[in-house]
Amino acid sequence: MNKCTLLGRLTKDPETRYTQGNESIAIARYTLAVNRRFKKQGEPDADFINCVAFGKTGEFAEKYFSKGLQVAVTGRLQVRNWEDKNGQKRVSTEVVVEEQYFADKKKESTPEEQGFYPIDESIEDDDLPF
């Protein structure tokens, strides 16, 4: 079974491209910084894991995901091999996203964003028109 689950923060905004043709398909690529559970002296604190999301999942990532956002991802691990234009063999490992979820707490909004404004203490009740 090829299944992986990740929880991490986006290192930058997703990069999205669309296929050409009658029905273009979104392909969103992003990198998750996933904290390591245990850390040894001199080793990095996190792993940086490349993710790719296709179709509606890719469109969702393009629209709602941004740098620093914490997300949970499930998908499958994919390894691709190819030769670059210089004849060098290249290998890429990435997670093909099947599901993705927001994992951050809901953003605290300011009173102004909620439609409330601070009360001007200098206004007396007698000055109000009602």
Side-chain angles (χ1 to χ4, degrees):
M1 180 188 315
N2 183 355
K3 190 78 162 179
C4 56
T5 303
L6 303 171
L7 176 66
R9 294 197 179 274
L10 276 78
T11 61
K12 60 182 179 177
D13 292 347
E15 294 178 7
T16 306
R17 296 184 179 161
Y18 288 84
T19 60
Q20 295 179 358
N22 293 341
E23 295 183 32
S24 63
I25 297 171
I27 303 170
R29 295 184 180 280
Y30 54 87
T31 302
L32 287 182
V34 179
N35 288 334
R36 291 187 176 174
R37 189 167 186 178
F38 301 104
K39 179 182 133 182
K40 291 182 182 177
Q41 186 81 17
E43 286 189 5
D45 295 345
D47 292 305
F48 297 89
I49 301 171
N50 296 322
C51 299
V52 60
F54 295 96
K56 296 287 184 190
T57 308
E59 291 173 10
F60 182 88
E62 175 186 30
K63 187 172 182 179
Y64 297 108
F65 286 2
S66 60
K67 179 181 178 178
L69 183 70
Q70 187 176 39
V71 297
V73 169
T74 61
R76 63 182 171 82
L77 200 58
Q78 173 177 280
V79 179
R80 296 183 295 128
N81 298 295
W82 76 94
E83 277 190 26
D84 66 12
K85 59 185 174 185
N86 299 326
Q88 296 284 335
K89 290 185 178 182
R90 300 288 185 176
V91 177
S92 174
T93 304
E94 59 197 2
V95 173
V96 177
V97 177
E98 295 168 355
E99 298 175 78
Q100 54 193 3
Y101 304 96
F102 295 108
D104 263 335
K105 293 180 187 174
K106 195 170 186 177
K107 179 185 166 194
E108 295 287 328
S109 58
T110 64
E112 289 81 7
E113 291 174 329
Q114 295 175 359
F116 298 108
Y117 296 92
I119 297 173
D120 185 352
E121 298 292 333
S122 66
I123 298 176
E124 296 291 326
D125 285 339
D126 294 338
D127 295 336
L128 297 174
F130 48 89

